[in-house]
Amino acid sequence: MTDRPFEHELVVGTRDMGDSHVDNAVFPAYVARVRQAFLRETVPRFEAYDRHVARLELDYHAELFAGDRVTGTVEVADIGETSLTTEVTLACDGTRVAMGRTVLVVVDPASGDPTRVPDAWRAALE
């Protein structure tokens, strides 16, 4: 991978709003969208495996509002035997608004069982 982190831009929609700002329940979807874009672009045969979220941690730092442009960056924190951990930082105008850490388990779609992280994924992510 390059030294420059992966970036993906999102625009906050009015449907994401709670009473006055983006509802906290929407942030996991933002983290997932950024993470999915990263994996689609980075690992070969992305669609060949299912990826189940085993753990998601979110830290909220600032509010978001309709029309805000959010930049999500991704770093791979760890690659285990059957899982990988990503850290997604969401920022608006250079200010961090949230950080999500996700543990994904790679699953063989035919058996439904966890499977080893493919070597080609490891090579692309390390």
Side-chain angles (χ1 to χ4, degrees), residues 1-81:
M1 275 186 68
T2 66
D3 292 332
R4 188 170 158 259
F6 174 86
E7 292 184 354
H8 183 74
E9 188 174 285
L10 307 167
V11 178
V12 175
T14 56
R15 295 177 68 186
D16 299 338
M17 302 295 290
D19 291 334
S20 62
H21 55 84
V22 171
D23 189 88
N24 67 303
V26 175
F27 281 79
Y30 289 171
V31 168
R33 285 171 49 194
V34 172
R35 184 184 65 244
Q36 297 283 47
F38 166 73
L39 291 172
R40 270 194 188 90
E41 188 170 306
T42 306
V43 300
R45 299 186 57 227
F46 168 76
E47 301 295 342
Y49 298 90
D50 291 338
R51 297 140 322 273
H52 295 188
V53 173
R55 181 176 180 85
L56 171 64
E57 300 172 42
L58 269 168
D59 294 319
Y60 301 91
H61 299 279
E63 297 174 311
L64 286 173
F65 302 92
D68 281 348
R69 293 191 173 285
V70 179
T71 301
T73 57
V74 180
E75 292 188 32
V76 176
D78 185 55
I79 303 173
E81 183 66 24

Side-chain angles (χ1 to χ4, degrees), residues 88-105:
V88 173
T89 300
L90 302 176
C92 181
D93 295 327
T95 300
R96 182 190 314 195
V97 295
M99 203 286 253
R101 183 177 177 94
T102 308
V103 177
L104 294 174
V105 175

Side-chain angles (χ1 to χ4, degrees), residues 49 79-83 105-108 113-122 126:
Y49 298 90
I79 303 173
E81 183 66 24
T82 62
S83 66
V105 175
V106 180
V107 175
D108 180 326
D113 294 327
T115 189
R116 181 171 158 68
V117 175
D119 290 338
W121 286 29
R122 288 176 189 280
E126 292 180 333

